Amino acid sequence: MSGGAAGAVTPAPGTVEAEAERLRRRFAGAGIESAALDAEVLLARALGWDRARLRARGGDPLPAGAAAWLAGAAERRARREPLAYILGEREFWSLPFRVAPGVLIPRPETELLVERAADLLGGRASPRVLEVGTGCGAVAVAIARELAGAQVFATDVSGAALALARENARRNGVEERVRFLRADLLAGVSALRPFDALVSNPPYVPGGAIGDLMPEVARHEPRLALDGGPDGMRHLRAIAAGAAELLTKGGALLLEMDSAEIAPIAAEVERAGGFSAPRARADLAGRPRVLEAVRV
């Protein structure tokens, strides 16, 4: 499809290709770096096509029904609403998850939590896993799918998030092995111990820095799922302090955080006691992302 480069043929008015170019220009004008990709994704959704068909049939007339849906979707995206909210879904661990405003959108880097849990627990027949702050349920559901014998307990303080998480567990066929609980961090979960792993991607952005994030995050994603207190580490410290008593010997603590928080939270884990020396695990970009410690 045309990208609007110098010398390119102008798309015929009223065609799919012309709409793609119009959307690209509008999104680029709104400061969206992925303007061309987002235009294609929204067009493909409106038409019920994949992107290969979209490019092959760019000269087709744009159906009126598709144009009506696109008008609303394009307005939302131009206001920098995340694409995942507009589409109503996001892929995580190659699985489909429904997402909605009010619930954090799962990030690719968070898949490292699932990867490490699977590596550490893969040899156990029926591991028990606790996820703290499940959001849409992506990590809990992915672990349950990856470890066929696992029983997963997932908590969140948000009732809306838990409702969405339950839907995602059903959608991915693990509703019988994932139990969702409304709880604030570790409150109320001691009666369910012991666990073979405790995993969490808690809010870890310093409260004063949220406004500096990209507009899709700062304006649209829930502050409750982002705000980690003045220095970003309030929730991480609370989990580090109480994790040991919830885990079996050999059980794993896996915490996602910003790379700058790794060293201070590692010190908190060592201060709490009961763990081997914490290790930092890097994400695909090479940044330290997950702090890992084993219960001794």
Side-chain angles (χ1 to χ4, degrees):
M1 301 184 78
S2 171
V9 177
T10 302
T15 61
V16 169
E17 190 172 18
E19 181 65 9
E21 177 62 10
R22 186 186 72 80
L23 291 175
R24 185 195 68 78
R25 291 179 181 275
R26 182 177 185 186
F27 294 161
I32 297 170
E33 293 183 2
S34 56
L37 174 62
D38 290 6
E40 286 194 2
V41 169
L42 289 177
L43 261 171
R45 168 60 68 88
L47 294 165
W49 296 355
D50 60 28
R51 288 169 58 205
R53 184 181 180 190
L54 188 74
R55 291 171 177 174
R57 296 181 56 179
D60 286 11
L62 182 70
W69 183 86
L70 275 169
E75 178 63 27
R76 292 171 68 184
R77 188 66 188 107
R79 293 198 303 263
R80 304 296 294 269
E81 184 173 346
L83 193 63
Y85 287 160
I86 299 168
L87 299 175
E89 64 181 22
R90 180 67 171 261
E91 184 180 280
F92 180 87
W93 202 254
S94 299
L95 300 169
F97 288 88
R98 199 169 85 75
V99 294
V103 176
L104 192 74
I105 300 166
R107 271 66 167 172
E109 57 266 27
T110 301
E111 291 187 352
L112 183 57
L113 284 175
V114 182
E115 178 185 317
R116 293 306 305 148
D119 285 348
L120 293 166
L121 301 177
R124 304 192 188 194
S126 302
R128 290 166 55 86
V129 180
L130 172 65
E131 188 202 1
V132 177
T134 194
C136 74
V139 170
V141 168
I143 288 174
R145 283 290 299 262
E146 193 67 20
L147 300 171
Q151 184 178 11
V152 183
F153 299 83
T155 72
D156 205 284
V157 72
S158 167
L162 289 171
L164 198 59
R166 291 187 181 98
E167 179 180 336
N168 283 322
R170 289 192 296 271
R171 184 178 190 183
N172 286 287
V174 294
E175 67 271 24
E176 298 300 323
R177 293 190 294 110
V178 185
R179 179 179 171 188
F180 295 101
L181 308 164
R182 190 165 189 175
D184 187 4
L185 297 179
L186 304 182
V189 299
S190 60
L192 301 171
R193 63 185 176 183
F195 300 101
D196 297 293
L198 189 164
V199 303
S200 184
N201 172 25
Y204 58 77
V205 180
I210 292 175
D212 299 328
L213 300 175
M214 60 190 304
E216 284 82 350
V217 180
R219 297 179 194 167
H220 296 281
E221 294 203 69
R223 189 179 183 94
L224 183 66
L226 298 169
D227 192 345
D231 65 358
M233 293 182 282
R234 180 175 61 201
H235 305 300
L236 288 162
R237 288 193 187 93
I239 296 170
E245 66 180 31
L246 298 175
L247 290 166
T248 59
K249 286 188 176 182
L253 172 64
L254 298 165
L255 297 175
E256 179 181 330
M257 62 195 74
D258 185 82
S259 58
E261 298 167 341
I262 293 281
I265 296 303
E268 294 283 345
V269 171
E270 291 180 327
R271 187 176 300 114
F275 288 98
S276 62
R279 299 181 60 184
R281 300 287 184 176
D283 59 23
L284 291 176
R287 292 186 295 267
R289 176 66 61 180
V290 168
L291 189 70
E292 177 180 315
V294 176
R295 181 78 164 88
V296 295

